[in-house]
Structures are given as structure tokens and as C-alpha cells.
Amino acid sequence: MTTLKDQMARWKLSVKRPEAPFSPVPGQSQNVEAPASPSPSPAAKPKASSGVDYYATKIKLHQKLLTRIDLDSIESLSSEQLRNELGVLLASIIEEDAIPLNHQERTRVIADLKNEIMGLGPLEPLLADPAISEIMVNGSQNVYVEKSGRIHLTDICFGDDAHLMKIIDKIVSRVGRRIDESSPMADARLPDGSRVNAIIPPLALDGPVLTIRRFAVVPLQMQDLVEKNSLTPAMAELLSALVKVKSNILISGGTGTGKTTLLNILSGYIPSGERIVTIEDIAELQLQQDHVISLETRPPNIEGKGEVTMRALVKNSLRMRPDRIVLGEVRSAEVIDMLQAMNTGHEGSLTTVHANTPRDALGRLENLVGLGGISLSSKPLRQLIASSIHFIVHITRLNDGSRKISSIQEISGMEGDVITMQEIYSYRRTGVNPDGTVLGLFRATGVRPRVSEKIRTYGITLSDGMFDPGPGH
């Protein structure tokens, strides 16, 4: 892993944008929903009073700063001390060269250069905003963010594609991965656990594309979902009980619905005395228990060797004496090993899958087994699924950006060749407010789950009437 000293020794900006005026202070959203407003061209942004070329000035200061830094001495400084020292040094360089900057411009260029060296450059103001849940960089000039489920275009931009490429390389190199023309796609994570995906030319035709799915600094709890009206208190009570009594739970939903967030919340109900093994492509889960072993897949190296797949990690985890296995997402042949583990002594395991409905989730599990090259006829495979998965929790993202747990279903067994399920709770959409927010109701179906007797034997008392059908909430 590269050190700060190494990064500063080789970190060079390669911005070549002549005549580019100052842009507004970064981090302030234009509050324009995409794609209604196109990206503003650099020429459309207001000029600073001094008329100085911002990017040319930034390059000049950066290059001069690198000649003044003692790379050996910075190793003894903390991050905060180094940021302060960089600020003092940059201020003195601006004074010495008599660069005509007003107070706002001076403050911004010093902050930007600190971010270039210490952080992720123009992305730092966005990463500092806790209201932003997703950052989408579509080339060097178009940066979008998601706030409260809505997409907005920001005034943030990079100097050019080479500048953006350096930021991407900095991110992926932190986790020992690489991205270049021979391997133009990469997944990574930030120190706070945020998920990162990057894809670059020649696959991305309009320049490098970077997508960052933010994780909350303080992980969400079940009460937060209740307050956001993503589910009812009764649904939350049932889900927590299901985890405690070791029900195998499959969380299904589309992209961006919050499957990993819910998986992380549910895993918080696993008793602290149990040994938990988590397996993910990119480690994102933030389990709070003490006895947690986190495993992460590894992509092949430049020679195409050294890959460690999800399936290999699932197989290995079975030799690690886990009480519970938490699989970030099933995407391939590892599903068969996960199902067998759930069915042979590793009850209480959790995983997620992409699907549009709970029934589709079962079909997707079957398809994944087939895609893995495993020859198994339909009925035995469905019997394995029915005996391994106890509950399916489906999450839906509505068009106003809100997320709802739209269905909780218990798998009750087989009827002929069909897996049977009974719905315990559902969400029904009823309309739309004038402001675009979706109206709907959660309701109990009146079905009491078969697991309720098991819950009672664990000493857990469920609220009276929580399964009674009613007008909805």
C-alpha cells in the first residue's frame, strides 16, 4: 500500500485547460434534477474578479509546493498537522509570487490543493456532506449526487480526464487493485466503507466514470428505518426476532434499494457470543459484534492468475467453524454452497440477491445454480431452496426515492414442483401527493408465521395483534 510520502512524491496534476475561469465554491448543489438540466460549460461559469486562470494557478502552486516539501519530515506529522503546514506553506507561496487572488479564491485554492494531496481532490466537499448518498462522476465535467433519493447536478468538476484518472487510481490502489487499459473496470472501497466502481476508456466512451455509493458514518439502525417509514414497528419486531431464532433470510430487491443496508442492520441482532464470517466482493458490512471474520474476494492479476472467487471463500468458511455466514450477495455458483450451508448446521445465515419480486428471487437462485454449471433437476433444487431459505424480505425503491420493505414472506414448503410462500406483511401503493411523494400503506395479511412458536420457545414475546389484518399504517 502506498504511503502518504510516496503519494506526494509522485502526485502531479496534469490539468491542461487554458482560459478556464473560476467556478463557484464547490459542494453547493444546483438543485437541478437530472437529466432536466445539462452540464454547464466551463465558459458559462462566472469569472473571478481577478480574471486569473484558476486551473493554471492551481498547477503552478502545486508544482512549487512539491519542490518545497521535505518528504522525510512529513512522516512524523499527523494528518491534521500536515494539513495545517500545507496551508501555511501555500499561503507563503501565494504571497511570494504576488498571485492576484481575492480572499474567496485564495481560500478555495488552498483548500483544493490540500484535498489533492491529502484526499480525493474535488470529491472531498461531496464526501464531507452526510446528506449525499451517491456520487456519480460522468467524465471530468459532469458530477451528479443523490440526496434524499433525488439526483442533482453539482458545480464540481475536474481539470480534465487525466486529473480524474489520478483520483480513480488513488482510490483503487488503496485496496491493492489496479485500473488501466488492460483492466478498465475496478471495484474498491473508501476507508469509511463506501462502495466504489470505476470504468475507464476504451469501455467508457465519454471519459472515466466513477460511482461512489456512500455509507453512513454512523451505521443506520432499525429505528432509523422505522422513522423513515421504510417499515412499521411490528415488521421491525418480527425481523429482529427472526434473526435471533436463527431463521435463514434472503433479502431481495433491485439496485440501490438498500439491500446491503438492511443486511447490516439485521446482522446487528446476531447474539454477540456467536462466531460470524462475512463474505463479500468488496467489504462493506459494518458488524458491531466482537467475533467477526471478514473475507473479501480477489480479482485476477495482470497475468490472469490469483483470482479468489466468492464460491472458494464460501467453501473455505465452512472449515472455519462459523455459527453464522453472512454473504454480501449471491451472484454465481456460490449459491449452491450457501444453500447447503444453510441446510446443514449454519442456520441463521443471511444473504441478498437482485430480484424484482420475492417469487423472482427464488427463480434467480435457480438460474444462478444453472449458470454455475451445476446439473441439478428442478424439483430437487427447489426442495433444497425451500428447506434452506425460511424468509424472503423484499425491498422496493419508489419513484420518489423512498425505500420500502414491500413484502415479508415465509417459505412454507412445496406443493408438487412449486415452492409455496405465505405473505406476512405487505406494502400497497395508493397514490401520489402533489409534491411527487408516493402514498401507500403497510398492512399485515392476517397470516401468523409458522416460526412464531419457535420464537416463543426462545423466550421472545411478540406484541399482541401484530399479525392481525387491519386498515394499514
Side-chain angles (χ1 to χ4, degrees):
M1 182 175 292
T2 57
T3 64
L4 178 59
K5 176 179 175 180
D6 296 331
Q7 291 172 3
M8 293 183 68
R10 66 184 179 86
W11 188 255
K12 305 286 184 183
L13 278 174
S14 57
V15 182
K16 297 177 181 178
R17 246 176 60 173
E19 309 283 333
F22 284 104
S23 60
V25 177
Q28 295 178 349
S29 172
Q30 292 180 343
N31 202 30
V32 179
E33 291 188 24
S37 176
S39 171
S41 64
K45 293 181 178 179
K47 293 186 178 181
S49 57
S50 61
V52 178
D53 185 334
Y54 175 76
Y55 292 99
T57 301
K58 189 170 159 184
I59 296 169
K60 178 181 177 182
L61 286 172
H62 198 166
Q63 291 172 340
K64 195 160 229 180
L65 175 67
L66 292 174
T67 66
R68 298 279 191 92
I69 293 175
D70 182 352
L71 295 177
D72 292 320
S73 65
I74 66 172
E75 294 296 306
S76 61
L77 299 177
S78 67
S79 295
E80 190 60 34
Q81 289 173 326
L82 181 55
R83 290 187 76 91
N84 293 335
E85 291 296 327
L86 289 174
V88 172
L89 187 53
L90 284 166
S92 67
I93 293 173
I94 292 172
E95 291 293 338
E96 291 171 11
D97 292 2
I99 299 175
L101 299 173
N102 61 34
H103 177 72
Q104 182 181 1
E105 296 160 356
R106 180 187 179 116
T107 301
R108 183 191 167 196
V109 76
I110 290 175
D112 281 358
L113 284 171
K114 286 181 183 179
N115 290 336
E116 293 289 352
I117 295 173
M118 301 287 296
L120 299 179
L123 296 178
E124 286 296 321
L126 304 180
L127 293 170
D129 187 347
I132 292 176
S133 57
E134 195 117 18
I135 300 171
M136 296 153 278
V137 183
N138 305 343
S140 61
Q141 301 303 305
N142 299 302
V143 180
Y144 292 85
V145 298
E146 181 187 76
K147 286 187 175 184
S148 302
R150 301 295 183 102
I151 295 177
H152 307 277
L153 176 66
T154 72
D155 55 17
I156 300 294
C157 64
F158 292 80
D160 59 8
D161 286 350
H163 183 198
L164 175 55
M165 277 298 302
K166 289 182 183 296
I167 298 296
I168 292 173
D169 182 64
K170 191 173 186 180
I171 293 172
V172 300
S173 64
R174 284 176 174 174
V175 293
R177 306 202 174 191
R178 64 185 180 86
I179 187 165
D180 51 38
E181 287 190 5
S182 63
S183 180
M185 296 183 292
D187 290 316
R189 66 179 180 277
L190 297 181
D192 65 357
S194 297
R195 181 191 310 172
V196 179
N197 175 266
I199 182 167
I200 65 172
L203 300 186
L205 302 182
D206 298 321
V209 177
L210 178 67
T211 309
I212 302 175
R213 181 164 296 171
R214 301 290 310 285
F215 265 38
V217 176
V218 178
L220 292 176
Q221 303 296 322
M222 188 66 81
Q223 184 59 34
D224 297 313
L225 298 189
V226 173
E227 291 173 359
K228 292 175 182 290
N229 199 32
S230 294
L231 76 169
T232 65
M235 295 165 69
E237 183 180 351
L238 175 62
L239 291 176
S240 66
L242 294 180
V243 176
K244 293 172 184 176
V245 303
K246 294 192 171 184
S247 294
N248 295 327
I249 300 175
L250 176 67
I251 301 170
S252 64
T255 300
T257 53
K259 297 187 299 297
T260 303
T261 298
L262 181 60
L263 181 65
N264 198 71
I265 291 172
L266 292 184
S267 65
Y269 292 106
I270 298 175
S272 58
E274 297 187 20
R275 177 176 170 89
I276 308 167
V277 177
T278 69
I279 305 172
E280 302 171 86
D281 278 325
I282 295 294
E284 300 174 272
L285 295 172
Q286 301 167 293
L287 272 65
Q288 304 302 308
Q289 292 88 341
D290 294 329
H291 202 163
V292 178
I293 298 93
S294 300
L295 306 180
E296 184 179 74
T297 61
R298 186 175 69 186
N301 59 21
I302 195 168
E303 291 86 18
K305 300 178 181 178
E307 181 181 15
V308 179
T309 65
M310 185 81 80
R311 187 175 188 188
L313 291 179
V314 173
K315 287 181 176 180
N316 188 79
S317 71
L318 300 179
R319 307 184 189 102
M320 298 172 66
R321 200 252 173 235
D323 289 308
R324 311 248 190 163
I325 299 174
V326 180
L327 191 61
E329 182 179 342
V330 287
R331 297 178 179 174
S332 188
E334 69 273 1
V335 64
I336 190 70
D337 300 284
M338 186 66 190
L339 291 173
Q340 290 175 333
M342 288 176 166
N343 203 28
T344 55
H346 298 91
E347 290 185 325
S349 296
L350 310 169
T351 189
T352 73
V353 69
H354 274 81
N356 294 323
T357 66
R359 178 61 65 179
D360 285 347
L362 297 177
R364 181 150 169 78
L365 293 181
E366 291 186 55
N367 292 335
L368 290 176
V369 171
L371 290 173
I374 300 167
S375 179
L376 194 63
S377 59
S378 294
K379 188 168 184 177
L381 176 56
R382 290 173 184 173
Q383 287 174 335
L384 175 62
I385 293 173
S387 60
S388 301
I389 304 292
H390 301 139
F391 279 84
I392 297 178
V393 180
H394 188 73
I395 312 177
T396 302
R397 176 173 172 170
L398 305 179
N399 56 333
D400 63 354
S402 62
R403 281 94 166 171
K404 307 288 185 184
I405 294 182
S406 57
S407 182
I408 298 178
Q409 302 207 19
E410 182 182 34
I411 294 180
S412 54
M414 295 276 294
E415 286 186 5
D417 291 343
V418 179
I419 299 174
T420 57
M421 298 188 293
Q422 53 184 12
E423 190 168 47
I424 312 301
Y425 289 100
S426 67
Y427 175 80
R428 183 169 59 89
R429 178 171 173 162
T430 59
V432 182
N433 270 327
D435 62 359
T437 57
V438 175
L439 300 174
L441 296 172
F442 292 101
R443 70 180 187 92
T445 62
V447 175
R448 188 174 187 86
R450 299 189 307 168
V451 77
S452 57
E453 178 60 26
K454 182 180 179 181
I455 291 173
R456 186 190 64 78
T457 63
Y458 272 70
I460 301 171
T461 303
L462 298 176
S463 300
D464 293 335
M466 63 182 291
F467 301 115
D468 295 341
H473 304 280

Coordinates of all heavy atoms in Angstrom, one line a residue, residues 16 62 79 114 117 124 131 178 207 257 260 265 271 303 318 354 366 407 414 456:
K16 N -4.8 20.7 -18.3 CA -4.5 21.5 -19.4 C -5.7 22.1 -20.0 O -6.2 21.8 -21.0 CB -3.8 20.6 -20.5 CG -2.5 19.9 -20.1 CD -2.0 19.0 -21.1 CE -0.7 18.4 -20.6 NZ -0.1 17.4 -21.6
H62 N 0.8 24.0 -7.1 CA 1.0 22.6 -6.7 C 2.5 22.2 -7.1 O 3.1 21.5 -6.2 CB 0.1 21.7 -7.5 CG -0.1 20.3 -6.9 ND1 -1.1 19.5 -7.3 CD2 0.6 19.6 -6.0 CE1 -1.0 18.3 -6.6 NE2 0.1 18.4 -5.8
S79 N -2.1 13.8 10.3 CA -2.8 14.3 9.1 C -3.2 15.8 9.3 O -3.1 16.6 8.4 CB -4.0 13.5 8.8 OG -3.7 12.2 8.4
K114 N -5.0 21.2 -0.7 CA -4.9 20.2 0.5 C -5.7 19.0 0.1 O -5.2 17.8 0.4 CB -5.5 20.9 1.7 CG -4.7 22.0 2.3 CD -5.5 22.5 3.6 CE -4.7 23.6 4.3 NZ -5.5 24.1 5.4
I117 N -3.7 16.6 -2.3 CA -2.6 15.9 -1.7 C -3.0 14.9 -0.6 O -2.6 13.8 -0.5 CB -1.5 16.9 -1.1 CG1 -0.9 17.7 -2.3 CG2 -0.4 16.2 -0.4 CD1 0.0 18.8 -1.9
E124 N -13.8 15.8 -2.2 CA -13.7 15.9 -0.8 C -15.0 16.7 -0.2 O -15.5 16.3 0.7 CB -12.4 16.6 -0.3 CG -11.2 15.7 -0.4 CD -11.4 14.5 0.6 OE1 -11.9 14.7 1.7 OE2 -11.0 13.4 0.2
A131 N -25.5 14.3 3.8 CA -26.8 14.1 3.1 C -26.7 13.5 1.7 O -27.7 13.0 1.2 CB -27.5 15.5 2.9
R178 N -6.1 -2.5 -9.4 CA -5.5 -1.6 -10.4 C -6.5 -1.4 -11.5 O -7.5 -2.1 -11.6 CB -4.3 -2.3 -11.0 CG -4.6 -3.6 -11.8 CD -3.4 -4.3 -12.3 NE -3.8 -5.5 -13.0 CZ -4.1 -5.6 -14.2 NH1 -4.2 -4.5 -15.0 NH2 -4.5 -6.7 -14.8
G207 N -15.2 9.3 -21.4 CA -14.2 9.6 -20.4 C -14.5 8.7 -19.2 O -15.5 7.9 -19.1
T257 N -31.7 -0.3 -3.7 CA -32.9 -0.3 -2.9 C -32.5 -0.4 -1.4 O -33.4 -0.1 -0.5 CB -33.8 -1.6 -3.2 OG1 -33.0 -2.7 -3.1 CG2 -34.4 -1.4 -4.6
T260 N -28.0 -4.0 1.1 CA -26.8 -4.2 2.0 C -27.0 -3.4 3.3 O -26.6 -3.9 4.4 CB -25.6 -3.6 1.3 OG1 -25.4 -4.3 0.0 CG2 -24.3 -3.8 2.1
I265 N -28.1 -4.0 9.1 CA -29.0 -3.8 10.3 C -29.4 -5.1 10.9 O -29.3 -5.3 12.1 CB -30.2 -3.0 9.9 CG1 -29.8 -1.5 9.6 CG2 -31.2 -3.0 11.0 CD1 -30.9 -0.7 9.0
P271 N -26.6 -12.6 18.2 CA -26.0 -12.5 19.6 C -24.5 -12.4 19.5 O -23.8 -13.0 18.7 CB -26.5 -13.8 20.2 CG -27.7 -14.2 19.5 CD -27.5 -13.7 18.0
E303 N -1.6 -11.2 -15.1 CA -1.4 -12.4 -15.9 C -2.7 -13.3 -15.9 O -2.7 -14.4 -16.5 CB -0.2 -13.3 -15.3 CG 1.1 -12.7 -15.5 CD 1.5 -11.7 -14.4 OE1 0.8 -11.8 -13.3 OE2 2.4 -10.9 -14.6
L318 N -16.7 -22.8 5.6 CA -17.3 -23.9 6.2 C -16.3 -24.6 7.1 O -16.7 -25.4 8.0 CB -17.9 -24.9 5.2 CG -19.0 -24.3 4.3 CD1 -19.5 -25.3 3.3 CD2 -20.1 -23.7 5.1
H354 N -30.3 -9.9 -6.3 CA -31.1 -9.0 -7.1 C -32.3 -9.6 -7.6 O -32.2 -10.7 -8.3 CB -30.2 -8.5 -8.3 CG -29.3 -7.3 -8.0 ND1 -28.1 -7.5 -7.3 CD2 -29.5 -6.0 -8.2 CE1 -27.6 -6.3 -7.2 NE2 -28.4 -5.4 -7.7
E366 N -32.4 -20.3 -8.7 CA -32.4 -21.5 -9.6 C -31.5 -21.2 -10.8 O -30.6 -22.0 -11.1 CB -33.8 -21.9 -10.1 CG -34.7 -22.4 -9.0 CD -36.0 -22.9 -9.6 OE1 -36.0 -23.7 -10.6 OE2 -37.1 -22.4 -9.1
S407 N -42.5 -6.4 1.1 CA -43.1 -7.7 1.4 C -42.2 -8.5 2.3 O -41.0 -8.5 2.1 CB -43.3 -8.5 0.1 OG -43.9 -9.8 0.3
M414 N -43.3 -27.1 -0.2 CA -43.5 -27.5 -1.6 C -44.9 -28.0 -1.8 O -45.5 -28.7 -1.0 CB -42.5 -28.5 -2.0 CG -41.1 -28.1 -2.0 SD -40.5 -27.2 -3.5 CE -40.7 -28.5 -4.7
R456 N -41.4 -18.2 20.4 CA -41.8 -18.3 21.8 C -40.9 -19.1 22.6 O -40.6 -18.8 23.7 CB -43.2 -18.8 21.8 CG -43.9 -18.8 23.2 CD -45.2 -19.6 23.3 NE -45.0 -21.0 23.0 CZ -44.5 -21.9 23.9 NH1 -44.2 -21.5 25.1 NH2 -44.3 -23.2 23.5

